[in-house]
Amino acid sequence: MRVLVIGSGAREHALVLAASHDPAVTALGCAPGNAGTAAFAETLGVDLTLPSAIAELAVSWRADLVVIGPEVPLVGGAADAVRAAGVPCFGPGADAARIEGSKSFAKEVMASAGVPTARSEVVDNPAHLDAALARFGPTWVVKDDGLAAGKGVVVTEDVERARKHALMLLDGGHPVVLESFLDGPEASLFCLVDGRTVVPLLPAQDFKRVGDGDTGPNTGGMGAYAPLPWSPPELVDEVVSTIVRPVVDELDRRGVPFSGLLYAGLALTSEGPRVIEFNCRFGDPETQVVLPLLRTPIAGLLHATATGTLAEHPPLEWSDEAAVTVVIAADGYPGKPRTGDVITGGEDEGVLHAGTRRRDDGAVVSSGGRVLSVVGVGEDLTAAREEAYARVSRVNLTGAHYRTDIAARAAAGHLAVPAR
């Protein structure tokens, strides 16, 4: 099978790495890729904002399967264009991808499906903002209604900070979604969906805040771990039956069946799981810890999802180990990152590249905010953390920063779901 992965981050590096271990894969391409994916896949050029260019590349490269990683091309209709060109594609069409591309659409779908989520209100006029804020908080949750790469959300007990963020979004022409705050630890559950069949993967937990102890602004994600030793054994079945399947059925009822990876971002509250958000693709950095634990070959699994035959696929097989990933970020991130610095010590297969490129002289340099995603796998979370941070210690990047507490509370047994 010739597999073409679209994207350039650590998520795509994780997908490429998993596909490289699949004996059914005879050729592997990544577009536009990065310095890390180049070790396993042919690097191909493409404009991620042009669905027609992605489809043309799939045809000219003779792909048997296209896997689209990022949300921007999915929301833009890249999967529609690839399928129209006759190539199987893993990823939802533009209409179904609105589950991530528009938070107000997602809320509407959840309301129709009877899915538990936070109370919300959309504000599209600054004149209505103060009255809306008065109906929420404390704590206030303010979100950009559209795509914001994980950085359009402010969660604060300061109403003035909430107001300032909302006004900034509105001034930029972006409607604002206000939500009630949900208690309890957060979790992410990825589900493969081929329109109707739902196959869950392992739940994971990511870390959005830039600093230790969940301090500082939100980011695209500073680390993650899987599985969740503190979660109840019935969690996955409950989330699939009360949240994922109703949303899948509702999208199908609306004539926009979802095919690809449906990501449920959850708060595990004292009243049960509640949806924080839906994404239409593999999450980053959770993918970097879920895929290393998957023993089922990935290419056939994603191809079955893309071709509507997921119900016929054998049950998934998983390692009984744990995985932790730690994101190494550039100086300045999540603001304007410093780029162009040489990276050394990142040659290990457990070091997944995100914002990197290879210079003409062969040196690997930083090219984005989240530069590397360093993965450790071990018999439990403690061992996986030790492996991940040992690899982090061998990486050198001027001005880099990372969190030192990824999975620490879970490994120490200090996390639990609130009693119902």
Side-chain angles (χ1 to χ4, degrees):
M1 188 186 306
R2 295 176 61 85
V3 178
L4 173 61
V5 176
I6 302 297
S8 62
R11 164 185 49 217
E12 287 75 37
H13 191 164
L15 286 163
V16 164
L17 182 61
S20 74
H21 293 155
D22 187 337
V25 175
T26 56
L28 190 52
C30 191
N34 59 42
T37 61
F40 302 94
E42 180 183 354
T43 299
L44 303 160
V46 74
D47 186 338
L48 294 181
T49 66
L50 293 178
S52 60
I54 294 172
E56 289 166 8
L57 175 62
V59 172
S60 64
W61 193 74
R62 296 178 291 109
D64 298 308
L65 174 67
V66 174
V67 180
I68 300 178
E71 62 272 25
V72 170
L74 290 169
V75 171
D80 296 308
V82 172
R83 280 192 278 267
V87 180
C89 184
F90 181 87
D95 287 343
R98 291 179 65 205
I99 199 75
E100 177 172 0
S102 169
K103 293 178 180 62
S104 54
F105 173 75
K107 289 290 186 181
E108 179 191 328
V109 169
M110 284 187 274
S112 297
V115 167
T117 185
R119 180 173 62 87
S120 67
E121 186 173 333
V122 178
V123 180
D124 58 9
N125 187 325
H128 303 152
L129 178 61
D130 286 340
L133 285 170
R135 291 190 283 272
F136 290 83
T139 302
W140 285 269
V141 180
V142 184
K143 296 182 176 181
D144 188 332
D145 185 47
L147 297 177
K151 292 179 282 187
V153 181
V154 161
V155 180
T156 180
E157 296 183 2
D158 182 349
V159 68
E160 285 306 313
R161 184 173 176 226
R163 186 174 187 274
K164 180 179 179 181
H165 182 64
L167 286 173
M168 179 192 73
L169 294 174
L170 290 167
D171 288 346
H174 297 245
V176 168
V177 176
L178 302 180
E179 288 187 349
S180 58
F181 180 72
L182 298 172
D183 68 334
E186 295 185 9
S188 304
L189 182 65
F190 297 169
C191 290
L192 301 171
V193 181
D194 69 355
R196 294 188 177 181
T197 301
V198 176
V199 175
L201 305 185
L202 286 180
Q205 186 178 67
D206 75 333
F207 295 74
K208 291 295 187 190
R209 301 280 188 164
V210 71
D212 284 2
D214 292 328
T215 57
N218 272 343
T219 71
M222 293 299 293
Y225 67 92
L228 310 181
W230 46 269
S231 70
E234 68 276 8
L235 174 67
V236 171
D237 288 343
E238 181 179 6
V239 171
V240 169
S241 63
T242 64
I243 291 173
V244 178
R245 194 174 300 283
V247 165
V248 169
D249 291 344
E250 175 63 18
L251 290 172
D252 186 54
R253 188 189 67 79
R254 291 173 178 232
V256 287
F258 190 99
S259 175
L261 194 291
L262 187 58
Y263 163 142
L266 308 162
L268 307 183
T269 76
S270 54
E271 297 179 343
R274 297 289 184 269
V275 176
I276 298 171
E277 63 178 356
F278 277 109
N279 291 328
C280 65
R281 37 69 193 184
F282 277 106
D284 185 346
E286 298 99 324
T287 302
Q288 291 90 292
V289 293
V290 171
L291 291 190
L293 303 178
L294 180 64
R295 292 293 173 258
T296 299
I298 195 170
L301 180 60
L302 301 188
H303 189 271
T305 306
T307 55
T309 59
L310 193 54
E312 302 166 20
H313 195 279
L316 304 188
E317 296 181 5
W318 295 96
S319 163
D320 58 3
E321 295 177 301
V324 171
T325 189
V326 179
V327 171
I328 298 179
D331 187 19
Y333 181 79
K336 184 177 180 180
R338 170 174 164 166
T339 60
D341 289 308
V342 174
I343 304 163
T344 60
E347 299 79 17
D348 193 313
E349 189 173 286
V351 179
L352 303 178
H353 291 231
T356 69
R357 65 178 179 85
R358 191 173 294 277
R359 282 193 325 211
D360 292 342
D361 64 1
V364 175
V365 299
S366 58
S367 63
R370 291 189 295 170
V371 181
L372 302 170
S373 191
V374 182
V375 182
V377 176
E379 64 180 4
D380 54 23
L381 283 180
T382 298
R385 290 188 79 248
E386 290 173 355
E387 178 67 20
Y389 281 106
R391 284 176 168 153
V392 167
S393 70
R394 296 193 286 269
V395 174
N396 294 295
L397 171 63
T398 301
H401 61 97
Y402 58 89
R403 285 184 59 158
T404 65
D405 63 346
I406 302 300
R409 291 183 65 206
H414 294 162
L415 270 180
V417 176
R420 300 191 193 183

